[in-house]
Amino acid sequence: MTDLIWLVVAIPLVGAAVNLFLGKRIGEPLSGWIGFGAVAASFLIAVEPMLGFFAGDSEPSTHFLFSWIPVLGVNAELLWDPLSALLTMIVTGVGALIHLYSIGYMHGDERFPRFFSYLNLFIASMLILVLAANYAVMFVGWELVGLSSYLLISFWFTKPTAAAAGKKAFIVNRIGDWGFLVAMMLIFAAFGTFDFDIIFGTAPGVLSVTMATAITLLLFVAAAGKSAQLPLYIWLPDAMEGPTPVSALIHAATMVTAGVFMMARSAVLFELAPVSGGIVATIGAATALLAAVIAVSQRDIKRVLAYSTISQLGYMVLGVGVGAYTAGVFHLTTHAFFKALLFLGAGSVIHAMSGEQDMAKMGGLRKKMPITFFTMGAAWLAISGIFPFSGFWSKDEILAATFAQGGAWYLLWGIGIVVAVLTAFYMTRLFVLTFLGKPRWDADAHPHESPASMTIPLIVLGAFTVSFGLVNTPFRLSFEHFLEPSFHGIPHVEGLTNVLITSLASVTLVVAIAGIVVAWRRYRVDELPVEVGGWWDRALVGFGVDDLYGRWIVAPGRRASELASRADAVVLDGAAHGIATGVRSAGEALKPVQSGRVRTYAGILAVAAVALVVVTVLVGGGF
Amino acid sequence: MSEVIVFVIFAAVALVGAISMVSARNPVYSAMGLLSTMFSLAVLYVVLDAHLVAAVQVIIYAGAVMTLFLFVIMLIGVDKADAYGRQVPAQRIMTFVVAIGFFAAIALAARSAWITGSGAFGDPEMNGTIEAVSDELFGTWTIVFLSTVMLLTIAAVGTIALAYFGAEVEDEEALL
Amino acid sequence: MIALAVTTSWYMMLAAALFSIGVAGVLMRRNALVMFMSIELMLNSVNLTFVAVGSDLGLIEGHVAALFVIVVAAAEVTVGLAIIVAVFRKRASADADQLAELRG
Amino acid sequence: MESASLLPVAFEVALLVGALLLLLVAVVAERKASVWGPLVGVTFLLSAVAGLWQWMDVADNGGGLFFSSQNFAIVRSPMVVMDEFSALAAMVLGTVGFVSFLGSWDLQSRLGKRGVEFSVLMLLGVAGLHMMTASPNLVVIFVGLETASIAFYILAGFTRKTRESDESALKYFLLGSLASALFLYGTALTFAATGSLSIYGANSIRNFFADQIVTDPGILLVGLALMLVGLMFKTSAAPFHQWAPDVYQGAPSGAVGLMAAGVKVAGFAALARIFMGGMISQVDIWAPILAVVAALSMIVGTVMALVQDDVKRLLAYSGVAHAGYLLAAIVAGPEGLEALWFYLATYAFMIVGAFTVVSIVNGPGAGPTPISSLKGLASRSSETAWLMAIIMLGMSGMPFFAGFVGKVLAFVAVEEAGYLWLVVVGALTTVIGLVFYLRVVITMFSSETDDSAGVDSLEVSITSRFAVVIAAAVTLTFGVLPWPLLDFVRSAIPF
């Protein structure tokens, strides 16, 4: 079955094409089932070869598709190894469930077939990204993911906020893409190839530390764009302007994991650049902390989840930064389950509340929607890090790996612990406010449980959320062994005794429980605490980072461009303006030199000529 | 020794002519300065045994080209108000710096030897008579000589295109 | 009196001086005609270099090169003067500094 | 001279004969556009065929040096060289000439009787350009350079009713002549230093360097530097670029395509021939200097293009940046020649296509063309807008477009030559450059339209459309499938 791997990518592509061109004729709900079927088929094709890795009787293999840019030796090749197999399973598995859920959720939308076309394209792009056997193919997937996320976030483009959010995601991701492109150029310059096999096989001998640092930092810029790390995270909270299944897809299974996946894939390079590792870990921890703090204050149920995603991604990046690649990928996996569950659950709630997203107007939904309640409860415990739910194991592993580094890394570990408290706190807040207590609904709300196409995915995801952590406990490292072939012999984090592991795990568990208890006592009351003024307001708007960008980057850019040419306002919005501003002002400063006078030009020509003569003679030793 | 005297005299005339060309306010005087430089160079060509070049220099450059220049000066009128370097203050300083710097750079670079190429290839008895030059011109350089047809066609066609203001100009209205 | 002989260096130095003066003329003058004359002066000084080197090394190529330069210069003069005349007819001036509408 | 020995100059002969026929036909046929127009096109195509013929001949019989005085065996002073390099140049220049002729047909047909003169200048200008690439003799290169330059000075000032046209011509002429004089002085000083005017042959610059260690290189270095100045001026590399935006902006849009494309092709080919053919042993001297100029060109071109409000100026500055990338390929030495040719061959079509679009939008005789005139082009002629978008993306160096392949090849070669910093500068400017190329694209696809440009759907003549389609097709084809062209250019290493 391994030979059929190309089908995994091809089927969703075909599905996307079918829905794009024939969607109107096929109509609802059949086009939804086609979309779901395509992804499910990919999943089924991938299962059997994946099991081979689990059984330990399969070798990683590359699959040549066609010769793409022969002069650079670039082929369209897919790499089937445990890491890509795992991601394929997540992308197609969780993706299929989200498709199924969307059939119910998008019911009645006039562009229903188009939505499934985009979803399939998204899945296919992500599969190209994870199955790539070289950086060039990966970049294609990377770009396609950016494109399809843009299409999906601004799916309801008539809503101005949705259109703006799509644009924001697109622009911020472009900054990351630049990092990827430059990194690719450096990689090609150093290795003369984009092939993972050759690069990772020869890197320790070929790459100087400086070069490795440069490449990995650029890769991190790219990852920071996709995986929403400081300072490029600003697109993600806005990205929930898209339909909720899209948020689930972006936040859980696909887009945001791309950055972490890419860094894990490049683990060999990161191993060679300790400085990069430090920077990556620090930024990861900082992102986790900032996002967790902001999440505490949010009132919109989806915004809480959005910031929690950023925070959890911070954990994964921290894991990669400290060299615990397996732990990072493990957390990615468990996070994919419980975050998809949370978003779908939130979608179910919003669906039931006829579009209400403010948690202050929910409460007491437990009775009305039991399935959603129970499944989300599992996700709540998992993300809070309660034993033995999946999130506990993966989070603990990252923190333990950080602790094991010692020295200044204790600080990052401390931050991780603080984030764990905060996570437990805000998730409990979300859960209590939504499902428990007295109903605080508007008069015209009639909450009801969602249809089966929406609840079945919740149940399946719930099962994984509860159990998947057991795949890799510190005492049973099957996940680690499974991924081993993908990390080219990078050693596991050492230096942890069983006692230490147990006590660290206990610490994490204790702080998580503490967070839950504090939140429980605060919110499980009849009169909700008033959360306005001072700190709450500032945190609610994300500490005004968007404003800050607006004031320091976007606004001056706007002003300069309005002065120079008003057409430019159309061209660039958002952060990209900041870079442009500096360059533009240089250009404006140079404009007077281009005075239009022939004599000035002749003068500059002559001065330059004399300078060139003098320099040439000096270089050549003629004086 | 006589060669030295000839060189000194005509080099001086050439330099004075060049400087007066650059500095004269009246374009007519500029043209006269250039003319005297060209004549002195013709003399120096003779000293260098470049007889044909000397003749062509006098006939084409001093004769045809400079006449054309003077003709155009007369056509467009002598604009005596043309002071130099008035509008751009830094221009004049830059000019001197560039000119002197350029000369100094070349002189410095060449202070030990102007000619590093070995003379072994050449013919020490060479004399730039008409025969010698035409042997070369119509031997090795034939194809280049023929290629100047293109140059001259361009010059003729181009001059008509630019300076002939006939009825065709009206056609251009269609462009605007 | 020391016996002085005119070496090729003298000619080359003269040519370099004339060339520099030509450069100065292009930079200093506003009248397009005089700028153009300065360029002709530069071509002349190059010719002097070609001829002097050719004679010194016994290479007739130097002389031939000078002839070609003269041909090119002649063609350039016709076209250049035509351009200047065209400018003058439209603007009644041959002041290069006044032609500065295209800039930035 | 045997008859076969006309082959090395077949390209020039084809164009010259075509031009002279054209002048004759124009007299006989009273300058009916329908009569002489096809003749020009056929001449350009024939010249490209001549290039192909040369290529095949070289493949069979090997290249060679031609037109010595007596003895072909000991070629003392060759005037023409025929090899893959010059044959490829002929093919590129012939086809680029053809496409730019198609693109400028709107202009020529509307010039009425003067259209013939325009065509003659185009034909002979292209012939002059090819002389620069097909001669090993510095003086002949100069003659070719001047032939092309003088033709283009006239083309820049061809539309006398357009206000800016004469300013453009005068600027181009004065500055161009100054640069030509500097180049010529450079050749004279090189002649003084090496005793040779020729790159190849018995008494050649190559042999001069091969035979002796240059102990006193002073004057040679000055000559080398001045030749660089002249050629870098013609190819508009910073800081010798200032003429380009003004000239392009003022010249009639229909004429700019050839000016911009042809001079770049020939200028860089000549640069490669002189410096890699004749002075490769001095590479340690000229390569670092070219690297600095390349970096400066990339930066200045990119930065200035960002702040332009005129499409033609924008394209001119982007041309400065492209000159930087092309120079980078030369910095890489012979390894970079493949990249140089690929880049040149594709860029030439892109720039011709871009200027054709400009002349479609604002009229082929117009001077300044504000970017705002492109507003809403997509709704006025969606085909043109899409093709222009392809060309812009190609220029920006997006993957899957020809510009990307050229850039990557150049950067790889440069890195191998040890100029990592130049690669970094190139990568950064490429990224910044995206902004202004995308600005053009976004302007075209914006929903608002410019009142002054009109809102009606745009009439696109068949010739212009053909030119733009060819340009876009080249951009896309060689972006996705670069190797046919790459196999081709790889053999075009001159020595």
Side-chain angles (χ1 to χ4, degrees):
Chain A
M1 286 284 273
T2 352
D3 293 339
L4 297 177
I5 287 309
W6 62 275
L7 276 176
V8 173
V9 180
I11 295 174
L13 270 180
V14 172
V18 167
N19 270 337
L20 184 65
F21 294 116
L22 305 175
K24 278 222 174 93
R25 207 161 304 163
I26 298 171
E28 188 187 347
L30 185 59
S31 61
W33 290 107
I34 291 175
F36 165 74
V39 180
S42 288
F43 177 80
L44 293 176
I45 293 172
V47 165
E48 195 266 351
M50 210 277 301
L51 291 177
F53 287 121
F54 252 113
D57 53 8
S58 285
E59 288 292 310
S61 52
T62 53
H63 301 271
F64 178 84
L65 297 185
F66 56 90
S67 173
W68 178 27
I69 314 175
V71 63
L72 299 182
V74 179
N75 295 325
E77 271 184 314
L78 301 181
L79 173 63
W80 183 250
D81 75 340
L83 184 59
S84 60
L86 176 73
L87 265 291
T88 306
M89 297 314 294
I90 298 173
V91 171
T92 53
V94 179
L97 292 174
I98 291 171
H99 275 71
L100 182 60
Y101 177 94
S102 304
I103 295 174
Y105 189 88
M106 295 301 285
H107 174 71
D109 195 288
E110 55 180 326
R111 291 162 74 231
F112 185 90
R114 183 59 60 89
F115 184 76
F116 281 90
S117 173
Y118 290 168
L119 277 188
N120 271 353
L121 177 66
F122 202 161
I123 298 285
S125 320
M126 195 64 197
L127 287 171
I128 293 175
L129 196 160
V130 300
L131 285 169
N134 56 52
Y135 279 107
V137 176
M138 190 188 236
F139 185 69
V140 172
W142 191 268
E143 286 295 311
L144 284 174
V145 167
L147 172 72
S148 33
S149 72
Y150 167 72
L151 293 174
L152 282 169
I153 293 170
S154 51
F155 185 73
W156 288 325
F157 57 87
T158 45
K159 215 164 74 175
T161 45
K167 211 155 73 179
K168 195 169 177 182
F170 193 70
I171 290 167
V172 174
N173 269 294
R174 290 283 82 62
I175 298 174
D177 295 345
W178 294 342
F180 202 128
L181 256 184
V182 182
M184 269 174 63
M185 288 176 186
L186 291 184
I187 286 172
F188 198 86
F191 295 94
T193 178
F194 292 123
D195 262 16
F196 291 147
D197 264 0
I198 303 172
I199 293 173
F200 301 144
T202 59
V206 172
L207 227 48
S208 67
V209 174
T210 327
M211 192 73 170
T213 310
I215 291 174
T216 48
L217 282 181
L218 285 164
L219 287 178
F220 179 59
V221 170
K226 277 269 183 300
S227 287
Q229 295 298 295
L230 274 173
L232 301 180
Y233 69 88
I234 49 165
W235 65 272
L236 191 60
D238 291 5
M240 23 135 274
E241 288 294 339
T244 303
V246 172
S247 310
L249 202 56
I250 288 179
H251 287 228
T254 54
M255 187 157 169
V256 295
T257 58
V260 177
F261 164 76
M262 184 266 283
M263 290 202 287
R265 181 58 98 198
S266 314
V268 174
L269 305 181
F270 277 89
E271 278 298 294
L272 294 172
V275 178
S276 301
I279 293 172
V280 169
T282 312
I283 290 183
T287 309
L289 182 62
L290 177 70
V293 170
I294 296 173
V296 168
S297 69
Q298 296 300 313
R299 286 197 280 264
D300 181 321
I301 183 167
K302 278 174 78 179
R303 284 195 93 87
V304 176
L305 294 177
Y307 279 108
S308 106
T309 303
I310 299 174
S311 177
Q312 297 300 310
L313 287 166
Y315 269 127
M316 298 174 209
V317 170
L318 172 64
V320 172
V322 299
Y325 306 102
T326 318
V329 173
F330 186 38
H331 195 55
L332 186 162
T333 314
T334 58
H335 177 257
F337 294 127
F338 61 66
K339 187 49 66 65
L341 177 51
L342 282 169
F343 263 108
L344 296 184
S348 174
V349 169
I350 295 166
H351 196 73
M353 301 288 298
S354 319
E356 183 58 66
Q357 304 197 3
D358 189 345
M359 295 189 296
K361 295 187 177 155
M362 296 177 182
L365 285 173
R366 173 166 63 104
K367 298 249 174 56
K368 295 282 180 185
M369 11 190 4
I371 302 176
T372 310
F373 167 74
F374 277 112
T375 49
M376 273 195 71
W380 159 52
L381 294 174
I383 191 172
S384 303
I386 298 301
F387 178 86
F389 292 89
S390 57
F392 166 77
W393 300 107
S394 55
K395 193 188 291 182
D396 175 58
E397 207 177 313
I398 291 175
L399 289 174
T402 312
F403 190 85
Q405 301 274 326
W409 300 86
Y410 288 137
L411 185 65
L412 295 185
W413 178 79
I415 293 176
I417 292 295
V418 173
V419 175
V421 180
L422 289 171
T423 308
F425 182 87
Y426 67 71
M427 284 314 298
T428 311
R429 175 172 176 266
L430 180 146
F431 191 72
V432 171
L433 288 183
T434 309
F435 291 104
L436 306 177
K438 283 186 194 155
R440 300 181 296 276
W441 318 323
D442 286 339
D444 53 348
H446 302 289
H448 51 87
E449 185 59 282
S450 302
S453 72
M454 288 169 70
T455 48
I456 291 172
L458 292 180
I459 296 168
V460 176
L461 285 171
F464 273 102
T465 300
V466 173
S467 62
F468 192 78
L470 300 175
V471 169
N472 197 43
T473 66
F475 316 102
R476 192 170 151 275
L477 291 167
S478 49
F479 193 74
E480 207 132 297
H481 293 303
F482 169 70
L483 281 179
E484 215 155 59
S486 289
F487 289 128
H488 294 260
I490 293 172
H492 303 301
V493 177
E494 302 283 351
L496 289 170
T497 60
N498 272 346
V499 180
L500 191 56
I501 289 173
T502 319
S503 36
L504 281 175
S506 318
V507 173
T508 343
L509 186 58
V510 167
V511 297
I513 292 171
I516 290 177
V517 169
V518 172
W520 192 273
R521 289 174 61 101
R522 185 175 163 86
Y523 296 104
R524 190 71 183 87
V525 288
D526 292 342
E527 278 298 302
L528 287 187
V530 182
E531 295 180 338
V532 286
W535 182 89
W536 287 99
D537 286 352
R538 275 201 292 279
L540 183 65
V541 293
F543 296 109
V545 172
D546 272 348
D547 271 359
L548 220 64
Y549 281 178
R551 204 168 326 138
W552 291 105
I553 299 175
V554 184
R558 282 243 173 78
R559 231 169 290 140
S561 73
E562 271 161 18
L563 284 176
S565 102
R566 296 188 42 221
D568 218 0
V570 191
V571 182
L572 278 179
D573 196 18
H577 247 321
I579 301 158
T581 311
V583 183
R584 287 188 69 101
S585 49
E588 294 290 346
L590 277 174
K591 258 187 164 180
V593 179
Q594 190 81 14
S595 66
R597 283 201 201 93
V598 180
R599 282 195 300 155
T600 315
Y601 295 178
I604 290 170
L605 172 62
V607 169
V610 172
L612 197 84
V613 166
V614 171
V615 170
T616 313
V617 178
L618 280 178
V619 171
F623 277 147
Chain B
M1 200 56 213
S2 62
E3 201 192 343
V4 176
I5 293 163
V6 172
F7 178 84
V8 169
I9 290 171
F10 285 97
V13 174
L15 285 172
V16 170
I19 290 169
S20 69
M21 183 211 77
V22 171
S23 56
R25 297 210 166 192
N26 188 332
V28 178
Y29 294 151
S30 291
M32 289 304 158
L34 184 55
L35 198 58
S36 57
T37 304
M38 285 175 172
F39 272 122
S40 344
L41 290 189
V43 174
L44 293 180
Y45 291 157
V46 174
V47 177
L48 286 165
D49 287 337
H51 306 292
L52 180 62
V53 180
V56 173
Q57 168 89 359
V58 172
I59 296 166
I60 307 242
Y61 249 134
V65 169
M66 286 320 295
T67 311
L68 205 52
F69 262 108
L70 281 169
F71 183 74
V72 172
I73 292 171
M74 294 309 161
L75 184 72
I76 69 178
V78 178
D79 187 5
K80 283 187 182 167
D82 166 38
Y84 34 86
R86 204 175 45 203
Q87 280 189 6
V88 193
Q91 191 84 18
R92 208 163 181 183
I93 301 158
M94 186 168 75
T95 304
F96 285 118
V97 171
V98 167
I100 292 168
F102 191 74
F103 181 73
I106 294 174
L108 263 179
R111 69 187 186 285
S112 54
W114 273 95
I115 308 211
T116 50
S118 124
F121 307 113
D123 169 15
E125 300 299 308
M126 188 209 75
N127 198 333
T129 58
I130 296 178
E131 291 100 316
V133 174
S134 49
D135 270 358
E136 180 80 3
L137 192 56
F138 297 110
T140 314
W141 293 72
T142 318
I143 200 74
V144 189
F145 178 75
L146 293 176
S147 76
T148 53
V149 171
M150 298 195 290
L151 200 57
L152 299 175
T153 312
I154 287 173
V157 169
T159 312
I160 293 169
L162 285 170
Y164 175 66
F165 279 69
E168 286 92 338
V169 176
E170 303 314 316
D171 297 339
E172 281 186 31
E173 299 294 350
L175 293 167
L176 299 174
Chain C
M1 197 174 169
I2 306 154
L4 271 176
V6 181
T7 62
T8 309
S9 300
W10 296 31
Y11 291 102
M12 304 281 272
M13 208 58 99
L14 174 63
L18 290 176
F19 197 89
S20 304
I21 294 169
V23 173
V26 177
L27 303 198
M28 200 147 64
R29 297 303 299 256
R30 283 165 52 196
N31 189 320
L33 268 173
V34 184
M35 292 173 82
F36 190 23
M37 281 188 225
S38 305
I39 291 168
E40 290 304 313
L41 178 65
M42 290 159 74
L43 294 181
N44 265 284
S45 86
V46 175
N47 270 353
L48 181 60
T49 312
F50 269 128
V51 171
V53 174
S55 292
D56 186 54
L57 295 179
L59 292 169
I60 198 81
E61 282 158 310
H63 295 194
V64 178
L67 289 178
F68 278 106
V69 174
I70 291 174
V71 173
V72 169
E76 201 176 73
V77 165
T78 17
V79 171
L81 290 178
I83 291 174
I84 291 172
V85 168
V87 170
F88 182 79
R89 288 181 74 148
K90 201 167 357 184
R91 301 176 192 246
S93 161
D95 185 344
D97 271 8
Q98 284 181 8
L99 283 166
E101 284 170 18
L102 303 169
R103 59 162 171 248
Chain D
M1 229 188 293
E2 298 167 38
S3 60
S5 59
L6 261 184
L7 183 58
V9 286
F11 184 83
E12 283 82 357
V13 169
L15 290 172
L16 181 60
V17 169
L20 296 178
L21 264 180
L22 190 59
L23 286 170
L24 286 178
V25 168
V27 174
V28 176
E30 291 179 340
R31 307 191 165 197
K32 265 195 206 119
S34 57
V35 177
W36 59 264
L39 180 62
V40 184
V42 168
T43 306
F44 270 123
L45 285 179
L46 275 181
S47 71
V49 171
L52 187 63
W53 186 15
Q54 288 180 345
W55 179 281
M56 293 189 301
D57 189 74
V58 172
D60 293 343
N61 309 324
L65 306 168
F66 294 89
F67 300 94
S68 75
S69 51
Q70 280 94 30
N71 194 342
F72 271 74
I74 312 161
V75 186
R76 196 176 131 245
S77 189
M79 291 295 140
V80 177
V81 52
M82 185 173 78
D83 55 7
E84 282 98 341
F85 193 83
S86 67
L88 182 63
M91 285 185 276
V92 172
L93 286 171
T95 45
V96 168
F98 177 70
V99 176
S100 57
F101 166 71
L102 289 179
S104 64
W105 180 247
D106 284 356
L107 177 62
Q108 301 186 41
S109 56
R110 284 190 235 175
L111 279 170
K113 298 178 178 175
R114 297 176 70 222
V116 178
E117 283 139 29
F118 194 99
S119 286
V120 168
L121 292 173
M122 279 182 95
L123 290 168
L124 296 180
V126 171
L129 291 174
H130 187 252
M131 276 173 77
M132 293 170 69
T133 66
S135 177
N137 188 297
L138 295 179
V139 168
V140 183
I141 292 176
F142 171 75
V143 173
L145 180 71
E146 281 295 88
T147 307
S149 299
I150 292 174
F152 294 154
Y153 302 150
I154 302 163
L155 289 185
F158 209 88
T159 52
R160 292 170 300 190
K161 283 266 166 169
T162 316
R163 177 158 179 76
E164 296 80 4
S165 190
D166 60 340
E167 176 178 345
S168 165
L170 187 69
K171 275 183 181 170
Y172 197 10
F173 169 70
L174 284 176
L175 294 169
S177 308
L178 176 62
S180 296
L182 288 170
F183 176 82
L184 186 64
Y185 197 38
T187 64
L189 292 180
T190 310
F191 180 50
T194 63
S196 174
L197 279 172
S198 187
I199 298 168
Y200 309 122
N203 169 23
S204 67
I205 296 172
R206 262 164 99 86
N207 288 359
F208 172 79
F209 287 120
D211 290 348
Q212 58 196 99
I213 299 157
V214 186
T215 48
D216 187 22
I219 207 67
L220 172 70
L221 295 172
V222 179
L224 191 149
L226 287 177
M227 285 199 289
L228 275 183
V229 170
L231 288 174
M232 288 193 299
F233 174 90
K234 296 292 175 188
T235 54
S236 71
F240 311 99
H241 66 282
Q242 288 190 301
W243 61 277
D246 292 9
V247 170
Y248 289 4
Q249 190 186 11
S253 304
V256 185
L258 182 64
M259 271 199 269
V263 176
K264 272 228 165 57
V265 173
F268 276 104
L271 203 59
R273 175 86 82 182
I274 296 173
F275 284 88
M276 270 177 245
M279 303 194 173
I280 190 69
S281 61
Q282 309 300 97
V283 65
D284 290 340
I285 295 169
W286 53 260
I289 293 166
L290 281 188
V292 173
V293 175
L296 203 60
S297 302
M298 294 173 194
I299 294 167
V300 170
T302 308
V303 169
M304 292 301 290
L306 273 179
V307 292
Q308 297 306 319
D309 296 321
D310 187 286
V311 192
K312 288 161 87 181
R313 293 190 78 84
L314 188 150
L315 287 171
Y317 279 116
S318 98
V320 175
H322 284 289
Y325 303 122
L326 288 159
L327 273 177
I330 290 191
V331 169
E335 304 300 317
L337 268 176
E338 176 190 344
L340 179 77
W341 265 124
F342 187 91
Y343 206 128
L344 275 178
T346 51
Y347 174 73
F349 284 97
M350 288 187 237
I351 192 81
V352 170
F355 277 113
T356 307
V357 171
V358 172
S359 71
I360 288 172
V361 173
N362 252 25
T369 306
I371 291 184
S372 59
S373 66
L374 289 175
K375 265 187 201 163
L377 181 62
S379 52
R380 299 175 63 203
S381 168
S382 67
E383 184 201 74
T384 313
W386 278 105
L387 294 172
M388 180 68 164
I390 291 174
I391 293 171
M392 285 293 110
L393 292 177
M395 282 196 188
S396 73
M398 277 270 180
F400 304 109
F401 295 93
F404 174 75
V405 183
K407 277 206 180 81
V408 169
L409 286 172
F411 288 164
V412 169
V414 171
E415 205 279 334
E416 273 168 13
Y419 293 91
L420 184 61
W421 63 270
L422 189 56
V423 177
V424 174
V425 173
L428 285 176
T429 51
T430 303
V431 164
I432 298 170
L434 271 177
V435 174
F436 59 80
Y437 292 115
L438 288 180
R439 178 177 165 197
V440 172
V441 175
I442 291 172
T443 310
M444 288 191 302
F445 285 87
S446 72
S447 50
E448 47 182 327
T449 47
D450 192 37
D451 294 337
S452 63
V455 289
D456 313 329
S457 67
L458 205 59
E459 287 273 327
V460 184
S461 70
I462 185 88
T463 48
S464 301
R465 175 180 295 178
F466 200 31
V468 183
V469 166
I470 293 176
V474 167
T475 314
L476 211 52
T477 312
F478 294 126
V480 180
L481 305 167
W483 54 96
L485 181 60
L486 274 173
D487 289 344
F488 216 48
V489 299
R490 200 166 297 147
S491 348
I493 310 291
F495 355 87

